[in-house]
């Protein structure tokens, strides 16, 4: 497959995530859209890794392996981020009895 | 059109359609379920690219662990249809237009990129297998690997401290 198909799929997924973050007010759905954006980037990294592998396998049998390792570390960081973020959302819900993201406006006062 | 291309377009349509439904559906539980479908479609893309380790990890970590956490939190909060969070139509429209503009800018910037003709190798290739990834991870990237364990420990402590009742 040409790499630009993967580029456009990832751009579309990322932009759907951006639209979700900008238009929804439920904090959990905003958080899920952030996960969607992370996954779009992961897909693009794996596609580029395979592109570099196809180009450089003749000289270096491990060409492009770093892309897949970065995806692994992105998954690690995303898991840590989700655990802390959901704890913050639960704490916010306990204080306000809603998951409305606009409540966080008050943090600036 | 070979089987690889048919699978590629099917998985792409599945991923994009369910990603749209994540944003559009009113009930947060449906959003979580559609997000799981999206993650399975992305795992299918990884299998198609012969990144088998990442496909399995994506299913176990994202669809298995993170999404269960989301479902637990949603059920804990009892956020049902009674919470109709209304946002002004103008803001929704502005957010949609902003995302669309971002999409158009990306597409316009990358549609004539020089790497357009480069091929992505599907179905073959050794680097996605767990043997090669593990060798590289534990030889060259062992320090980031250990640092990520510290990150997990601090995230666990942070989640417990934030989540516990006063």
């Amino acid at each position: 497959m040409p790499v630009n198909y993967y580029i456009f799929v990832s751009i579309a997924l990322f932009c759907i995530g951006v639209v979700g973050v900008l238009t929804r007010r439920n904090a959990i759905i905003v958080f899920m859209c952030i996960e969607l954006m992370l996954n779009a980037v992961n897909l693009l990294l794996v596609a580029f890794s395979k592109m570099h592998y196809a180009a450089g396998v003749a000289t270096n049998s491990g060409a492009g392996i770093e892309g897949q390792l970065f995806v692994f570390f992105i998954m690690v960081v995303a898991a840590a981020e989700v655990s802390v973020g959901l704890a913050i959302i639960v704490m916010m819900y306990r204080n306000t009895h809603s998951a409305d993201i606009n409540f966080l406006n008050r943090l600036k006062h | 059109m070979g089987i690889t291309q048919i699978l590629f377009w099917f998985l792409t349509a599945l991923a994009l359609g369910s990603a749209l439904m994540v944003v559009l559906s009113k009930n947060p539980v449906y959003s979580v379920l559609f997000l799981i479908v999206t993650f399975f479609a992305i795992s299918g893309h990884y299998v198609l690219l012969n990144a088998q380790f990442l496909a399995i990890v994506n299913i176990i970590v994202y669809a298995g662990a993170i999404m269960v956490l989301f479902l637990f939190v949603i059920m804990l909060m009892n956020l049902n249809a009674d919470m109709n969070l209304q946002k002004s139509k103008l803001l929704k429209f502005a957010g949609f237009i902003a995302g669309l503009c971002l999409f158009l800018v990306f597409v316009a910037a990358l549609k004539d990129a020089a790497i357009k003709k480069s091929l992505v190798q599907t179905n073959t290739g050794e680097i996605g297998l767990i043997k090669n990834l593990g060798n590289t991870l534990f030889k060259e990237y062992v320090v980031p690997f250990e640092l990520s364990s510290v990150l997990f420990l601090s995230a666990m402590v942070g989640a417990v401290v934030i989540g516990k009742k006063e």
Side-chain angles (χ1 to χ4, degrees):
Chain A
M1 306 290 295
V3 74
N4 60 345
Y5 290 0
Y6 283 99
I7 292 176
F8 292 136
V9 171
S10 299
I11 289 172
L13 272 177
F14 189 87
C15 290
I16 289 171
V18 170
V19 169
V21 168
L22 291 177
T23 56
R24 298 301 301 260
R25 271 177 65 181
N26 190 333
I28 294 181
I29 294 182
V30 170
F31 216 53
M32 287 195 286
C33 291
I34 292 173
E35 296 299 313
L36 201 62
M37 287 151 73
L38 284 173
N39 266 279
V41 174
N42 282 351
L43 179 63
L44 193 59
L45 274 173
V46 174
F48 276 138
S49 139
K50 295 297 287 193
M51 186 190 83
H52 281 290
Y53 179 72
V57 69
T59 53
N60 176 10
S61 67
I65 202 167
E66 286 87 0
Q68 302 204 8
L69 280 172
F70 284 172
V71 172
F72 180 69
F73 285 116
I74 288 174
M75 283 178 184
V76 167
V77 173
E81 172 228 335
V82 163
S83 64
V84 176
L86 282 178
I88 291 175
I89 291 177
V90 168
M91 189 190 68
M92 191 177 105
Y93 179 74
R94 206 181 279 149
N95 288 330
T96 65
H97 295 286
S98 82
D100 192 344
I101 203 92
N102 266 16
F103 168 74
L104 295 177
N105 271 344
R106 294 183 212 170
L107 286 180
K108 70 185 175 192
H109 294 307
Chain B
M1 199 149 119
I3 187 84
T4 306
Q5 267 144 336
I6 294 172
L7 275 175
F8 175 85
W9 291 114
F10 172 71
L11 289 170
T12 302
L14 189 66
L16 291 181
S18 49
L20 272 178
M21 288 308 291
V22 171
V23 177
L24 293 178
S25 60
K26 294 273 178 246
N27 193 335
V29 179
Y30 291 158
S31 287
V32 171
L33 296 178
F34 278 115
L35 195 57
I36 292 174
V37 174
T38 309
F39 287 158
F40 271 95
I42 289 174
S43 286
H45 271 298
Y46 291 163
V47 171
L48 210 59
L49 289 165
N50 212 21
Q52 298 163 5
F53 173 69
L54 287 178
I56 296 297
V57 167
N58 199 40
I59 287 178
I60 292 174
V61 172
Y62 271 108
I66 293 181
M67 287 299 112
V68 169
L69 213 59
F70 271 105
L71 269 182
F72 268 134
V73 170
I74 286 174
M75 288 173 181
L76 201 73
M77 285 185 179
N78 196 13
L79 299 171
N80 285 325
D82 55 318
M83 273 193 51
N84 46 354
L85 303 167
Q86 289 299 329
K87 198 168 191 174
S88 73
K89 286 270 187 281
L90 184 67
L91 275 179
K92 268 190 176 166
F93 189 67
F96 177 72
I97 293 295
L100 203 67
C101 288
L102 183 70
F103 180 74
L104 287 180
V105 166
F106 274 141
V107 168
L110 292 172
K111 77 179 182 347
D112 291 325
I115 57 170
K116 185 166 83 165
K117 293 279 184 282
S118 311
L119 288 180
V120 173
Q121 197 177 39
T122 48
N123 293 330
T124 52
E126 297 277 304
I127 56 167
L129 305 185
I130 194 165
K131 177 169 170 267
N132 300 312
L133 273 179
N135 265 329
T136 314
L137 182 62
F138 287 113
K139 279 180 184 154
E140 294 169 41
Y141 289 85
V142 69
V143 178
F145 182 76
E146 296 296 336
L147 282 179
S148 66
S149 68
V150 177
L151 176 74
F152 265 128
L153 188 66
S154 57
M156 194 174 72
V157 173
V160 170
V161 168
I162 292 170
K164 96 177 171 211
K165 284 210 165 79
E166 316 283 300

